[in-house]
Amino acid sequence: MTVSIVILAMIAGFLCMRLYSVLGRRAEHGEEPVQNRVEPVAAPAVLPLAEQPAKGSAQPLAQPPMLPVVERGLREIIAADRRFDPLAFVEGARGAYRVILEAFWRGDKEELAQLCDGDVLESFSAAIDARVAAGQTYDNRLVRIEEAALVGASYDAPFASIAVRFISDVAAVTRDADGTVIAGSLTDAVEVRDVWTFRRNLQSTSPDWLLEATDEG
């Protein structure tokens, strides 16, 4: 029994010496510890007027699986801008979706000019002008956003483009100049599917992504 205890003690001492020779050497010679391969990335301000989840609110819906081409595009964007955070971007895109729709419905061209670019801004402005000329107004409500999923991503220096598919419920009403409902209903929401593409110059000091294209999803 005593011999067994001595043998076990010798083995334990040998293991301790081996551990010290491997781990202790790093501390003695001032070697730096190995860093994690993936560095944490701070979430920047992604889109103007981005929605931030309130304390205690439900968490955003999980992202569906992404196509390899989308993942490759996101990696290229992250390589060009280490501050870019895809999850923060999706939250910002959800907020921008609501803000842009509501600005369009009420005919606010100035706000749209801060959020949209090029042909999209021209299309929205033309639609607003046509609505005003017809004496019509929109009384629409974005009931909920069911899904906001990344479906496209690319980087063509210095511009990054990301496409987001939105599935939402919208209650839409069109009124004439007298306020009479001529189309739609506020009690019956319809499902709307959109694919919006946002674009940003990564060399710009502005963190804002502008809406550059819209399509049906």
Side-chain angles (χ1 to χ4, degrees):
M1 185 71 175
T2 305
V3 173
S4 299
I5 295 174
V6 171
I7 292 175
L8 290 175
M10 292 176 63
I11 293 174
F14 175 77
L15 291 177
C16 288
M17 291 179 63
R18 292 295 297 168
L19 286 173
Y20 177 80
S21 67
V22 174
L23 301 179
R25 234 175 349 126
R26 185 180 300 276
E28 287 178 0
H29 292 82
E31 295 176 17
E32 296 179 358
V34 178
Q35 300 296 324
N36 293 331
R37 295 183 63 182
V38 180
E39 297 177 5
V41 180
V46 178
L47 287 164
L49 303 176
E51 282 186 332
Q52 297 299 328
K55 225 175 195 181
S57 66
Q59 293 298 315
L61 296 176
Q63 282 285 305
M66 288 185 293
L67 295 173
V69 66
V70 179
E71 291 186 7
R72 184 165 58 251
L74 290 176
R75 289 181 185 278
E76 292 175 353
I77 293 172
I78 292 172
D81 181 3
R82 296 303 301 274
R83 298 173 304 163
F84 177 75
D85 182 342
L87 293 180
F89 176 87
V90 171
E91 285 305 300
R94 288 168 63 93
Y97 182 73
R98 177 181 296 276
V99 170
I100 291 173
L101 283 180
E102 292 178 349
F104 172 66
W105 292 337
R106 67 175 178 269
D108 191 338
K109 292 184 182 180
E110 290 186 6
E111 185 159 14
L112 289 173
Q114 300 176 28
L115 304 168
C116 306
D117 194 17
D119 295 339
V120 172
L121 180 58
E122 292 181 8
S123 297
F124 280 161
S125 297
I128 291 172
D129 291 340
R131 189 196 319 160
V132 172
Q136 299 175 351
T137 57
Y138 285 164
D139 186 10
N140 296 356
R141 301 287 185 274
L142 178 58
V143 179
R144 68 180 61 85
I145 299 175
E146 296 285 356
E147 178 183 285
L150 301 178
V151 295
S154 63
Y155 178 61
D156 184 11
F159 294 100
S161 296
I162 300 179
V164 185
R165 181 182 65 236
F166 296 99
I167 300 177
S168 61
D169 293 332
V170 175
V173 166
T174 302
R175 301 181 185 274
D176 63 16
D178 297 325
T180 303
V181 175
I182 58 177
S185 169
L186 282 178
T187 58
D188 296 323
V190 297
E191 183 180 273
V192 176
R193 291 173 173 260
D194 293 311
V195 175
W196 284 14
T197 301
F198 298 92
R199 187 170 185 248
R200 177 177 174 248
N201 182 346
L202 298 188
Q203 294 181 357
S204 171
T205 56
S206 170
D208 297 344
W209 293 73
L210 299 180
L211 177 61
E212 70 160 355
T214 62
D215 201 355
E216 295 182 358

